[in-house]
């Protein structure tokens, strides 16, 4: 067997998230794993992603690793996988990695994108891919407040319970709201860090929007962060606006990626 | 009764096109008309669009007119409509127009967009919204060839039969292939004209792609155009890459649009 790294995109809309569940529950891991098992006629093949995206969350470039038979070749594997999985999941690349590569353990940085459509009336082509917000958003204010989150902090207040983690301390490297070029209505929030807690991005976005629409302030956000209590933060932003954008691995590991 | 002009967007994916059919067939006209009828408790209300988009075709800004009761007010109508129609159809604006405004008859220009994703591997977030093309496309070539179509011509070779039109002569004002900024994979074809025949844009795109992949030439495209025979052109490009982008009305009419 040899170890591969796959990069995948998905439209999370109709899936119950990444993580495989019972056989009648539609998940992204379930679809990709089943395709690999079918391709190699080996029911023991399993895949491990950089993180488990929630139900409804999309991905530009999720990364997962798996062990596959030595006979696997790059192009037949790519074509075979993409023909066996549904159109709303795509595998962009497969590369050979060293045995110590681990999709979770080796990652050094992750970036998420949250998309907002800000207009008094909805736009149908966005409805499954952006959060529609009617009242005008003040991007400068959101940007200023978001700087409170940059740096190394205990993000316990922004972690949805139900996940077991050793530490709730994470480092946020960038948190930036911006308009898409040439549109006064399309806004995105880019957040990059060494790692994220369960539903952390959605809890941050939901809290920022709540504070924005309810006369909040940067110091209020700071208080919430320092409270280390999920009950102090506000409602999660919906999943359909969230995208896993990029997972970064160290250059040394990247160099070990070889064509299969 | 007073006459209104509506601007709507839709994700055509799950609809059998714009035009209302039997009650159990899902159409965009059916959804919007039913919402208007429900709002005003008047089953005689009908809407007329600038053109009937086919099954699976999307719209950024379709335009339709309708007669509504005099008591209709702008914001309640917008909110009411958007709350009654599904999320994959949106009404952006409603304006009062003069009695002689007609969504088809008054339009002076229409623009369509065809989206292509050009990469050896698919991208899941595009699969319902762009045509995935594996082999590299030569944009310069496509652009050069497309200039054959610009101007006033009889486009009979690019009209799918089954539509009754007085004349198959149309004027194309612009036909341009371009890359989206900062992506080597995202290509769009913008085509603008005074009017279009049935499936004309999809027949043009399908023929251009066929010629591109089969060693065609500008003069071959010219021959097809001049043949005035649909059998000489090639297979229609799929509906899911096509968007009605804009319908233009004369400035004089625009000035007559009033708040309801």
């Amino acid at each position: 067997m040899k170890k591969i790294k796959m990069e995948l995109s998905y439209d999370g809309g109709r899936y119950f998230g990444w993580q495989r569940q019972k056989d009648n529950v539609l998940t992204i891991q379930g679809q990709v794993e089943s395709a690999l098992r079918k391709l190699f006629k080996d029911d023991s093949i399993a895949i491990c992603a950089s993180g488990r995206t929630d139900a409804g969350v999309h991905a530009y470039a999720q990364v997962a690793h798996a062990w596959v038979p030595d006979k696997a070749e790059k192009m037949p594997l790519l074509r075979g996988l993409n023909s066996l999985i549904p159109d709303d999941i795509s595998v962009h690349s497969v590369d050979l990695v060293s045995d110590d590569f681990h999709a979770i353990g080796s990652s050094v940085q992750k970036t998420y994108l949250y998309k907002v459509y800000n207009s008094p009336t909805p736009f149908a082509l966005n409805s499954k891919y952006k959060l529609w917000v009617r009242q005008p958003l003040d991007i400068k204010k959101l940007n200023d407040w978001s700087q409170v989150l940059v740096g190394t902090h205990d993000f316990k207040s922004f972690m949805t319970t139900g996940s077991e983690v050793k530490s709730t301390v994470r480092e946020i490297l960038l948190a930036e709201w911006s308009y898409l070029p040439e549109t006064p209505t399309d806004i995105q929030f880019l957040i990059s860090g060494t790692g994220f807690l369960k539903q952390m991005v959605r809890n941050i976005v939901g809290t920022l929007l709540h504070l924005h629409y309810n006369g909040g302030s940067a110091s209020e956000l700071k208080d919430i962060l320092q409270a280390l209590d999920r009950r102090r933060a506000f409602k999660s932003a919906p999943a359909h606006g969230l995208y896993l954008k990029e997972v970064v691995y160290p250059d040394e590991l990247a160099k070990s990626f070889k064509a299969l």
Side-chain angles (χ1 to χ4, degrees), chain A residues 145-164:
Chain A
W145 294 355
S146 298
Q147 301 325 303
V148 166
L149 307 168
V150 175
T152 303
H153 304 284
D154 187 331
F155 285 96
K156 202 176 170 195
S157 293
F158 295 101
M159 177 181 74
T160 296
T161 50
S163 57
E164 282 169 41

Side-chain angles (χ1 to χ4, degrees), chain A residues 166-185:
Chain A
K166 282 182 201 150
S167 161
T168 48
V169 173
R170 294 291 183 274
E171 186 185 1
I172 295 301
L173 303 160
L174 176 98
E176 192 177 74
W177 292 79
S178 61
Y179 285 103
L180 292 199
E182 294 175 41
T183 67
T185 47

Side-chain angles (χ1 to χ4, degrees), chain A residues 170-223:
Chain A
R170 294 291 183 274
E171 186 185 1
I172 295 301
L173 303 160
L174 176 98
E176 192 177 74
W177 292 79
S178 61
Y179 285 103
L180 292 199
E182 294 175 41
T183 67
T185 47
D186 284 86
I187 292 168
Q188 63 177 32
F189 175 53
L190 202 68
I191 184 163
S192 205
T194 53
F196 290 87
L197 301 168
K198 185 172 180 175
Q199 297 191 341
M200 181 167 146
V201 180
R202 289 168 58 197
N203 290 335
I204 286 172
V205 171
T207 300
L208 282 167
L209 293 179
H210 179 97
L211 292 176
H212 180 285
Y213 289 126
N214 293 278
S217 64
S219 69
E220 204 174 336
L221 180 66
K222 209 166 196 170
D223 287 346

